[in-house]
């Protein structure tokens, strides 16, 4: 159950883990994985466009394609270059903020990412069930069993990931290849029908003119309804989330994976071009060939426009094969979302101390995510329309954040042209997000639930792990190492000192006080240790130790860490392991309320240092005989 890390995290593991480098997978195979989410929207996107725009559906879809190719695609090609390890725009924005503001901001974005990816799993499974139930051969037998069938599909998806991620990619290639081939047949047949009956095009243009008057009015209305079509942008965040799976060049490094970035850009561009061609062609044939009434709730084409054409124009046998392919890809569309979650969550929450250690492993994380998907399916009664608002909100918030992130990155790089371009794109996506939220506020409410849930679990986990030894490594400079080697045959006695002026009087008075309070004889050496807290919101960090001699007589070890007690405990254990002697450390009691001091420790890495240092040591070293000694006077 706990074997190994997430497959997506192996190329960038947590600080405690040694993981072999993975060769990776060809970009077009990974495209099939992320394309499960992206391409599967053809199952419902034409119907959504027809309901939202009516006869304007093809024009509104052209607007969507233009935003895709000249907005989302350039943004995410830049995101791939700026954040090639799968964290996406979240990592880019994380670098702009430090301390707790940055952590809370990331947790908020993770909440929207969880909304996007989790609703992808549940909505796609629910839509697959809808296609299954609406098949003429199965309708009577399966009618009324929507929730049960959706839960079964979600459970099967989880089972695939429990088996292994490589199986998920192999299955994705087959499903996407078959689905796109069948859609080519449906689209080609539909266009043949349109060309065979020229009056269809004439009737459509006459209807457009009667409804909207002129081309400018049509474009204006298309721009207004565009936010309702935003689900057609759903594949980009997943595309960068699974970047670590892409095979790079032999000379790629962790800092500069040039081959992986190039492969990710090929992936994003190819997927966007394929999807754009299908979106435009399917919107044309569904608008011209399907009666308006069939798109409405309860209509034969509601939520399954292309499947309707497959049955009508190509016969029941082909239609059933198309249904089966659509059901399979919609079901497995959750695989790309699951891959995104398995890549994203282990990169942030364990590093923040806001998830248990097992969250780095695939199988327990898959089980937790599957159970959450069960809950969401049950709450929404496996209703596709009820989840659409949340899905669109999650997609648009992530794309907007990506557009803002690349705008800032371009500005910092001094690229004026790209700064202006990305700023315009960001404005478009922010407008789209605002309109979508105004029209469907339920999406923000659901996203807020995910955010609240992530924050609650995160802070409870961090509280539970507050006394955990969380120093990933101890690095000593030459002077510090020489200090410690001097105590191989005698115990080292350390004075914990909070540095102020660092003048001669400060150290002289401190030595006198510690000797008096603890009855230390004059012949015993004392070494000062001072900790500087860098970012107290960091949970795991490397400990750097420097040695220096001040005022020609006082040895001082200076440490940099995110927490004073953790740094001191890690140093004491390092001294024990290097010298074979149990070190002693001496503190003063801290004045103030113990609970307030604990909150200072939890939030700022300081507070009641002595008892917390001792507690960290107690958890890290259960054997009392091997535990360094803590004295408080």
């Amino acid at each position: 159950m706990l074997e190994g890390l997430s497959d997506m995290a192996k190329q960038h593991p947590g600080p405690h883990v040694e993981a072999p480098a993975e060769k990776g997978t060809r970009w077009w195979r990974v495209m099939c994985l992320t394309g499960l989410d992206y391409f599967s929207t053809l199952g419902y996107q034409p119907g959504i466009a027809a309901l939202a725009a009516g006869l304007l559906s093809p024009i509104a879809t052209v607007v969507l394609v233009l935003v895709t190719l000249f907005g989302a695609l350039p943004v995410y090609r830049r995101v791939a270059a700026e954040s090639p390890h799968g964290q996406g725009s979240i990592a880019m924005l994380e670098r702009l903020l430090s301390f707790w503001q940055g952590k809370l901001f990331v947790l908020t974005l993770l909440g929207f990412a969880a909304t996007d990816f989790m609703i992808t799993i549940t909505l796609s499974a629910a839509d697959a069930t809808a296609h299954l139930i609406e098949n003429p051969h199965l309708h009577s037998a399966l009618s009324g069993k929507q929730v049960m069938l959706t839960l079964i599909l979600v459970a099967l998806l989880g089972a695939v990931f429990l088996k292994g991620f490589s199986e998920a990619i192999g299955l994705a290639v087959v499903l996407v290849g078959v689905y796109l081939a069948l859609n080519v047949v449906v689209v080609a047949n539909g266009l043949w029908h349109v060309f065979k009956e020229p009056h269809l095009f004439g009737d459509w243009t006459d209807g457009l003119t009667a409804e909207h008057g002129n081309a400018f009015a049509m474009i204006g209305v298309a721009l207004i309804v565009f936010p309702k079509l935003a689900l057609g942008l759903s594949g980009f965040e997943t595309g960068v989330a699974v970047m670590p799976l892409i095979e790079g060049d032999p000379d790629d490094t962790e800092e500069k994976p040039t081959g992986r970035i190039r492969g990710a850009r090929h992936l994003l561009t190819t997927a966007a071009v394929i999807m754009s061609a299908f979106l435009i062609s399917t919107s044309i044939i569904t608008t011209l060939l399907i009666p308006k009434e069939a798109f409405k709730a309860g209509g034969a084409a509601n939520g399954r426009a292309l499947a309707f054409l497959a049955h009508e124009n190509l016969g029941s046998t082909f239609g059933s094969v198309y249904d089966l392919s659509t059901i399979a890809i919609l079901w497995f569309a959750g695989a790309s979302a699951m891959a995104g979650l398995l890549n994203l969550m282990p990169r942030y929450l364990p590093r923040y101390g806001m998830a248990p250690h097992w969250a780095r492993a695939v199988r327990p994380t898959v089980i937790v995510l599957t159970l959450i998907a069960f809950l969401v399916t049950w709450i929404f009664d496996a209703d596709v329309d009820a989840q659409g608002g949340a899905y669109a909100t999650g997609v648009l918030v992530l794309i907007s954040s990506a557009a803002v992130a690349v705008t800032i990155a371009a500005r910092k790089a001094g690229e004026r042209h790209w700064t202006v371009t990305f700023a315009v794109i960001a404005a478009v996506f922010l407008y789209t997000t605002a309109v979508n939220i105004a029209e469907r506020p339920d999406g923000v409410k659901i996203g807020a639930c995910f955010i609240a849930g992530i924050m609650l679990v995160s802070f409870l986990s961090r509280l539970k792990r507050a006394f955990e030894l969380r120093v990933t490594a101890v690095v000593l400079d030459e002077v510090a190492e020489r200090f410690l080697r001097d105590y191989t045959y005698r115990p080292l006695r350390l004075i914990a000192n909070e540095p102020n002026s660092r003048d001669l009087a400060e150290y002289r008075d401190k030595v006198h006080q510690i000797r008096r309070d603890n009855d230390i004889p004059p012949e015993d050496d004392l070494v000062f240790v001072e900790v500087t807290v860098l970012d107290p919101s960091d949970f795991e960090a490397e400990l750097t130790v420097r040695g220096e001699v001040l005022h020609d007589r006082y040895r001082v070890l200076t440490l940099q860490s995110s927490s004073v007690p953790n740094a001191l405990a890690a140093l004491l254990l390092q001294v024990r392991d290097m010298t074979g002697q149990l070190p002693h450390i001496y503190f003063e009691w801290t004045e103030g309320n113990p609970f307030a001091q604990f909150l200072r420790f939890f939030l700022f890495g300081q507070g009641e240092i002595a008892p917390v240092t001792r507690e960290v040591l107690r958890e890290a070293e259960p054997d009392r005989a091997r535990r360094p000694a803590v004295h408080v006077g």
Side-chain angles (χ1 to χ4, degrees), residues 194-212:
V194 170
F195 287 121
K196 188 176 69 171
E197 303 177 51
H199 69 88
L200 292 173
F201 188 80
D203 294 343
W204 174 61
T205 54
D206 291 343
L208 278 178
T209 305
E211 281 189 11
H212 303 287

Side-chain angles (χ1 to χ4, degrees), residues 46 49-50 53-62 204 208 229 283-284 286-287:
L55 293 176
L56 271 175
S57 173
I59 298 176
T61 301
V62 169
W204 174 61
L208 278 178
L229 279 62
S283 67
I284 291 172
T286 52
T287 302

Side-chain angles (χ1 to χ4, degrees), residues 5 46 98 118 149 184 238 348 374 396 416 430 433-434 592 631:
L5 290 178
S98 59
M118 189 57 64
L149 291 172
V184 167
T238 313
Y348 290 99
F374 283 173
L396 288 171
R416 185 175 179 182
L430 289 170
T433 304
H631 307 265

